[in-house]
Amino acid sequence: MRKLALDVGDKTIGVAVSDELLLTANGVTTIERVGIRKDAGKVMDYIREYDCDTVVIGLPKKLDGTDSIQTEKVYEFRTMLENKLKSSGMSDISLVFQDERLTTVMAERILIEADVSRKKRKGVIDKQAAILILQGYLDKLAFQKKQQE
């Protein structure tokens, strides 16, 4: 089954999904934030649409590994999503965190190298960050699988 990744920000949520072979991450969309309940509901729509069994949530720790204000907001979003999944009979969906330190910086560099204008970058940077979060998770899964062989 596919994996879905989220880059949860204050104004938007970047969304990416894996291919069925769990090799590559692809950008899906950027959700404009309207409220934590509705935002979680939209994420659930993507879980259903892409038939995902796992949601990988980028965890924005500080560079020294400690929690930030944004980290607390992401924990709160995860709790809301988990509760909505349970109440909708989707409690079998796994919610996992993936360290996302520097993903936004890396996403910005990728978009600059692709010669995306500053105005357009603003609209897709969270989606690009979600791709990087998911690709890191998929690479970790592949590495763990190889170690077990």
Side-chain angles (χ1 to χ4, degrees), residues 30-50:
T30 302
I31 299 170
E32 295 294 324
R33 300 287 309 260
V34 292
I36 193 167
R37 280 185 164 72
K38 287 185 180 180
D39 300 341
K42 281 195 171 190
V43 169
M44 289 173 58
D45 293 341
Y46 289 110
I47 293 168
R48 288 185 199 99
E49 179 180 344
Y50 290 99

Side-chain angles (χ1 to χ4, degrees), residues 105-124:
V105 173
M106 291 180 351
E108 181 89 17
R109 284 189 185 150
I110 289 167
L111 294 171
I112 288 170
E113 287 177 18
D115 204 25
V116 176
S117 71
R118 184 180 303 242
K119 186 176 181 180
K120 287 183 181 177
R121 280 196 310 260
K122 193 173 184 183
V124 297

